[in-house]
Amino acid sequence: MSSPTPVIYLDNNATTRVAEEVVEAMLPFLKENYGNPSSTHTFGGKIARSVKRAREQVAALLNAEPTEIIFTSCGTEGDNAAIRAALAANPQKKHIITTQVEHPAILNLCRKLEREGYTTTYLSVNEKGMLNLHELRANLREDTALVSVMAANNETGVIFPVERIGQMVKDRGILFHVDAVQAVGKIPLNMKNSSIDLLTLSGHKLHASKGVGALYVRRGVRFRPLLVGGHQERGRRGGTENVPAIVGLGKAAELAIANFEAEITQVRELRDRLELGLLRLIPHCQLNGHQGMRLPNTTNIGFKYIEGEAILLSLDAYGICASSGSACTSGSLEPSHVLRAMGLPYTILHGSIRFSLSRYTTAAEINQVLTVMPQVVEKLRAMSPFNSETDESQGWLQERQQDLREKDESLKAVSF
Ligand SMILES: *Cc1c(COP(=O)(O)O)cnc(C)c1O
């Protein structure tokens, strides 16, 4: 086994370390077991049996039937396939309901669909990142084809009440898709007697490799493939299966089931220690997102009067990996669309950091972060032009706020 990289990795909502057991399970399929599962010879048949087993393992994680699982290449593909399939099932319906805080895989697809003639309602969230189900009810229409809501938010960890939402849309001929990429393995998901029709998950957020995911399609839901080709996945997704990654995803699902209780208690404990420690040790900071309705591994904290990007750079020098939002928007200085939707004030919006833990996070790592962060924040605040509520800093602040409002307006027109 190679030695672990010398980083403190607290960015598990961006991607996770591949479990050693998963690597071991994958290796034979990168080496001697290279056959094509569609081949009729015995060599290929053996591979097909391994894919079948992986399908059973993923189905077990969701308490679904193996025939309800389609392997995909990633969460983004699953989201696209689910939404396109739901719309194709009801071609006369042209309305979609989703939320303002979805992943770009959903938001940018909806933007594209609007150019194709669909209309989208983006449900708002309150300052804790929670949906208002009355708003959902008020927006259900005769021509609503699909409701797509994430199970848990990647940036704040806030959990949405998907079963309750499903109950509301059920029996109205509306399909219900759930992006569960962040939720799988972290909160229980049970497709038996569920109101969910379609559900997306991704391997690399679950200690499997990149390049694999799965889409759950409830039995009886009409499905049209996104990738048209061979008869793989019972005609629902063309393309020769990524066998090593699929076998690895099966193993990751098995590990997630076996370790579920232990993991969420241990991870939650460390997350709480980190969160409470930071909030206590550092003045002028606050938790972003509802405290209770949250994934056990995620904490998103706003540090007033400093830039999140500056915090990240300082942490990076200590080998500490965190994020200022989704990986897809970091690198640009646009504040997170999730925190903006929550209506957070300017100083929080620009100074927020997400720490996301995993089963591999240790108490020693959390202690190290608790030692480093107060120094980092103090140092940055000392250099900050708005480190106190002076007149000068207020003026600067107002100027920046005006900038942001203008930018917000222009952004609304283009993208999230
Ligand atoms: C990461 C993520 C995705 C996209 O998954 P990929 O496998 O990276 O394409 C979709 N939705 C959520 C909530 C995510 O966190």
Side-chain angles (χ1 to χ4, degrees), residues 97 136 140 147 164-176 195 197:
I97 300 180
L136 168 63
L140 292 171
V147 174
R164 276 179 60 205
I165 293 169
Q167 291 299 331
M168 289 169 63
V169 307
K170 215 172 89 166
D171 304 327
R172 299 183 65 134
I174 302 170
L175 287 169
F176 183 38
S195 50
D197 297 308

Side-chain angles (χ1 to χ4, degrees), residues 13 74-76 79 103 105 150 152 154 179 181-182 202 204-205:
N13 288 10
C74 60
T76 302
D79 283 344
H103 189 272
M150 67 204 323
N154 44 310
D179 176 343
V181 171
Q182 288 297 339
S202 174
H204 76 100
K205 305 279 176 80

